[in-house]
Amino acid sequence: MIPLYTTQQVRDADNYAINTLGIPSIVLMENAARSIYSAVIDYAQEFIKSKTVGLICGKGNNGGDGFAAARHFVNNGFKVFVISLGAEEELKGDALINFRIIKNLLNEYPESKLIVYQNIKDLSSLDDCEIIIDAMLGTGSRGVLSEPYKEIVEYVNKLNAFHVAVDLPTGLDLETASGETIFNADLTITLSEFKTGLFYGKGYINCGNIVKGSIGIGEEYYEKLIVNDYLIEPEDAFSGLPVKDLNIHKYSAGKVFVIAGSSKMPGASFFTTNTIMKSGAGACFLAFPNSLKILAQQKIESAIVFSYDDNGKGFLSSDNLKEISEKIEWADVIAIGPGLGREEETQIAVREILRSYKSKNFVIDADAIFALKNEEYKKVNLKGKILTPHHKEFADLIGIESKDLENNILKIGKDFAKENNCYLVLKGAPTIIFNPQGEAFINSAGNPGLAKFGSGDVLTGIIASFQAQSDDIEESLISAVYIHSLAADLLLNEKSEFGYTSNDLMEKIPYAIKFIINSFV
């Protein structure tokens, strides 16, 4: 598991290096510049033909890193075009020193240029650059971009070049991983350590490949810091896999009861139920309307259909609770919600089930989450339970606009999980797991092909299956989320992200599990 740090922790590291270790700030900038040059050479080699690089440098230390990096490119035979957003008299400190160095150096290289930005026309020198490096704004930047940054980012984003961001893409607010106009990087070189805001929200969209640079501080400093955010690795998926004892039998291998499906959306329940069995559970029953029992029996592969008397309505109501109570008590985990329907009678039944079985393990998804809107979730005991909404479902659940959620996902997710003492799996790109202790685990696998009907139902099945087979909710959750996305990544070896379906995804789950096991055994 990779620890992720806040912007304040990274800024504190700079102060530690300067004030405690006694490293001059100009040395930190030089170390950063070397990292930038090395990372570009390592990760953009295939884009370097004419060895032409453009750098856009702001007025602060981020710009100073850019000026210093420009010198390394020049000294290694590159033609360099440096756009400075500040005139010499506007700069200060280490940024000014490196501005003057590159200014003097370029007197010896007439093919390279240093241009002080006046208007958008000055950016034309970047049009033919193979690589463009964004060193405009650093970690202290917040909110919406002002001019001239906005027009510069919009211009540069249209250029056919390999885009590199220093520390973070300009326009990205690292505190909330939000922003409107953001530099679209192919490579982000994060100085010092990985920062949380680079890996979710707009950071996930705009950062491209993220690699670590260095200012010259060892990892020992960061290992002492308190961390609440993590990036999930393949090793974590392996650690969270259920253990199969030699004397295991079908009822000790995990018992799951699925309450899902209706006449309007029967398919979701089949994805969830079949995935449960493909993920290793020993026994699974699907509670399903009796009027549709034949359909379910045709679609379910190895689980058993437990039909309840729906009087031809095609959905669950409170009248059915006595019928299904025995199986709820029997199960290690109850998965409730996929395709269940949103009839008022069904919503009432969902809330009654959750209130009546406070000590049972639940995976609450889709229509069961809908039933908890309008603060109904505060009237049931969510302690230890797992909720698996996508962003719109979660925003509706807690009564906020989707835009407000997108602008503060991490805080809102953490607050909800802590206040309700539950686990929140916020499905998206990427999926984020929140635990009751206020920690967040960001998934690192997956691709856009997951954005299809049924994908979330498959995830619900893996989560329910793994939880039924494990005593550790958090570890099994992390493993389930990663393997779900890994299955999607493995499908790219056979099909494009356009072409695979949720059925393909479900069928790939056993292979993803095997891939993880083979990777670490």
Side-chain angles (χ1 to χ4, degrees):
M1 198 168 295
I2 299 173
L4 303 176
Y5 299 89
T6 67
T7 52
Q8 186 58 53
Q9 286 175 319
V10 174
R11 285 196 288 268
D12 289 344
D14 289 349
N15 294 329
Y16 169 80
I18 295 167
N19 300 321
T20 302
L21 299 182
I23 303 175
S25 58
I26 193 73
V27 174
L28 299 180
M29 188 169 285
E30 181 62 19
N31 290 339
R34 290 177 180 274
S35 289
I36 294 165
Y37 174 77
S38 297
V40 170
I41 296 302
D42 289 343
Y43 290 91
Q45 190 65 48
E46 62 183 289
F47 299 92
I48 301 173
K49 295 176 182 177
S50 64
K51 299 186 75 173
T52 305
V53 176
L55 299 97
I56 312 169
C57 303
K59 301 176 183 180
N61 285 337
N62 197 255
D65 295 337
F67 293 134
R71 171 166 41 85
H72 290 284
F73 284 103
V74 171
N75 289 338
N76 284 279
F78 283 79
K79 183 164 61 174
V80 173
F81 295 90
V82 181
I83 308 292
S84 176
L85 301 187
E88 187 168 350
E89 60 271 18
E90 296 179 275
L91 305 177
K92 60 183 179 179
D94 300 330
L96 176 59
I97 291 172
N98 278 294
F99 174 91
R100 287 172 172 167
I101 291 173
I102 193 65
K103 175 185 174 183
N104 294 332
L105 180 64
L106 292 189
N107 289 330
E108 306 297 325
Y109 296 89
E111 289 190 343
S112 295
K113 293 182 181 179
L114 171 61
I115 302 166
V116 176
Y117 184 83
Q118 298 295 324
N119 56 57
I120 200 73
K121 294 180 181 179
D122 293 324
L123 299 179
S124 61
S125 60
L126 303 176
D127 290 356
D128 296 323
C129 290
E130 296 170 314
I131 297 170
I132 296 175
I133 299 176
D134 162 25
M136 287 183 271
L137 295 175
T139 57
S141 60
R142 300 291 304 274
V144 178
L145 277 184
S146 59
E147 299 294 3
Y149 299 99
K150 183 175 183 293
E151 68 176 359
I152 292 172
V153 170
E154 289 174 340
Y155 183 98
V156 173
N157 278 348
K158 296 176 183 177
L159 296 180
N160 183 23
F162 187 84
H163 292 74
V164 179
V166 174
D167 221 15
L168 75 159
T170 291
L172 176 66
D173 186 331
L174 274 183
E175 293 295 329
T176 59
S178 63
E180 294 182 6
T181 303
I182 303 173
F183 181 82
N184 192 17
D186 298 295
L187 173 69
T188 296
I189 306 162
T190 175
L191 301 174
S192 295
E193 277 292 340
F194 289 128
K195 305 169 186 72
T196 305
L198 301 176
F199 292 92
Y200 75 100
K202 292 296 180 66
Y204 178 82
I205 296 170
N206 290 92
C207 285
N209 191 16
I210 303 170
V211 299
K212 251 196 284 191
S214 174
I215 61 171
I217 302 176
E219 293 183 357
E220 293 80 7
Y221 171 81
Y222 289 97
E223 290 173 353
K224 299 174 184 177
L225 301 180
I226 296 174
V227 175
N228 293 312
D229 306 321
Y230 301 88
L231 189 67
I232 299 172
E233 295 183 282
E235 293 91 336
D236 305 315
F238 177 73
S239 298
L241 280 176
V243 177
K244 297 287 189 182
D245 296 327
L246 291 177
N247 62 344
I248 199 171
H249 57 81
K250 60 186 177 183
Y251 294 123
S252 65
K255 306 188 297 293
V256 184
F257 188 44
V258 181
I259 306 173
S262 62
S263 59
K264 291 183 179 180
M265 294 190 70
S269 66
F270 307 148
F271 279 125
T272 297
T273 304
N274 286 330
T275 301
I276 285 168
M277 300 304 291
K278 291 179 183 296
S279 303
C284 179
F285 285 88
L286 168 63
F288 206 71
N290 188 60
S291 62
L292 304 168
K293 181 179 180 180
I294 294 176
L295 173 63
Q297 289 174 327
Q298 292 172 342
K299 297 293 185 179
I300 297 302
E301 296 180 13
S302 54
I304 297 174
V305 178
F306 183 89
S307 62
Y308 54 81
D309 185 5
D310 60 318
N311 292 317
K313 295 179 179 179
F315 58 80
L316 180 77
S317 70
S318 296
D319 294 337
N320 305 123
L321 299 191
K322 187 175 181 180
E323 292 178 76
I324 65 176
S325 62
E326 182 180 342
K327 282 293 180 282
I328 293 177
E329 293 286 4
W330 165 86
D332 298 313
V333 173
I334 301 96
I336 185 169
L340 197 57
R342 297 183 175 183
E343 287 77 9
E344 184 60 31
E345 292 178 66
T346 301
Q347 293 181 53
I348 292 171
V350 167
R351 294 193 288 267
E352 189 171 340
I353 289 170
L354 293 174
R355 283 194 295 265
S356 300
Y357 299 94
K358 298 178 182 179
S359 62
K360 298 296 293 187
N361 296 317
F362 279 86
V363 180
I364 306 170
D365 187 34
D367 292 331
I369 291 173
F370 182 86
L372 299 179
K373 287 175 57 177
N374 302 319
E375 299 195 345
E376 289 291 342
Y377 70 88
K378 296 181 179 180
K379 301 175 185 178
V380 301
N381 187 355
L382 294 179
K383 181 179 180 180
K385 294 174 174 55
I386 300 169
L387 285 79
T388 60
H390 56 61
H391 288 199
K392 180 64 165 60
E393 288 172 333
F394 184 53
D396 289 345
L397 174 69
I398 60 178
I400 65 173
E401 295 295 323
S402 294
K403 184 177 181 180
D404 294 331
L405 173 63
E406 302 300 333
N407 288 335
N408 211 358
I409 290 176
L410 223 60
K411 182 180 187 305
I412 294 171
K414 287 181 178 181
D415 287 347
F416 181 87
K418 287 172 65 177
E419 290 168 6
N420 293 281
N421 202 16
C422 67
Y423 294 87
L424 173 66
V425 179
L426 191 55
K427 295 182 290 193
T431 293
I432 307 174
I433 302 166
F434 300 92
N435 70 13
Q437 290 74 45
E439 295 176 317
F441 305 90
I442 302 174
N443 192 27
S444 61
N447 60 72
L450 284 168
K452 290 185 175 74
F453 277 161
S455 175
D457 305 316
V458 172
L459 177 58
T460 298
I462 305 172
I463 290 172
S465 182
F466 277 18
Q467 190 189 2
Q469 300 172 68
S470 174
D471 295 326
D472 193 312
I473 295 177
E474 186 173 294
E475 284 197 354
S476 65
L477 259 184
I478 290 170
S479 183
V481 166
Y482 187 89
I483 284 172
H484 174 257
S485 295
L486 175 62
D489 289 340
L490 292 177
L491 280 168
L492 294 183
N493 296 323
E494 307 163 17
K495 303 179 180 183
S496 75
E497 56 200 21
F498 292 91
Y500 69 78
T501 66
S502 293
N503 190 69
D504 296 325
L505 180 66
M506 178 181 68
E507 296 295 337
K508 206 69 177 179
I509 296 302
Y511 297 94
I513 294 171
K514 184 177 181 179
F515 181 91
I516 285 293
I517 292 172
N518 290 345
S519 298
F520 296 99
V521 174

